[in-house]
Amino acid sequence: MTDEANRLKPSAILHYNKARSYAGLGDKESAVTEYETYLEMNPTAADRGAVEQRLATLRYETAERERLAREKQEAAGRAR
């Protein structure tokens, strides 16, 4: 539904709201994509600094999760 709405009338705030929803659901990668689109569509956003900080946090959390998954997989491989 939101993709159809965005197709009919592109809106930066729609991407912002999708980003918040994805983040709330734990889909950090999609949240990052939507926040990036929000900032691209609204480069002078009053909340730009806060959104950039949120992006940094989401990217860090994603990288940390990936690092821990790799370490777990490596440890399982060594245990064999």
Side-chain angles (χ1 to χ4, degrees):
M1 179 68 108
T2 57
D3 291 330
E4 171 112 7
N6 196 52
R7 184 181 62 75
L8 295 172
K9 185 176 180 186
S11 167
I13 197 67
L14 182 62
H15 290 283
Y16 177 84
N17 289 334
K18 285 175 66 175
R20 290 192 44 132
S21 296
Y22 281 129
L25 292 170
D27 185 349
K28 295 174 192 219
E29 293 86 0
S30 294
V32 165
T33 300
E34 293 298 333
Y35 276 130
E36 288 172 339
T37 302
Y38 167 71
L39 291 177
E40 287 171 14
M41 292 179 75
N42 190 10
T44 60
D47 62 347
R48 184 174 192 88
V51 172
E52 288 174 339
Q53 182 60 47
R54 184 67 182 134
L55 274 167
T57 300
L58 289 166
R59 288 179 180 132
Y60 172 80
E61 290 171 352
T62 299
E64 187 67 8
R65 185 179 66 218
E66 290 170 358
R67 182 188 68 78
L68 291 171
R70 274 193 312 275
E71 286 180 4
K72 183 177 179 180
Q73 188 175 21
E74 289 169 2
R78 286 191 300 268
R80 293 182 190 172

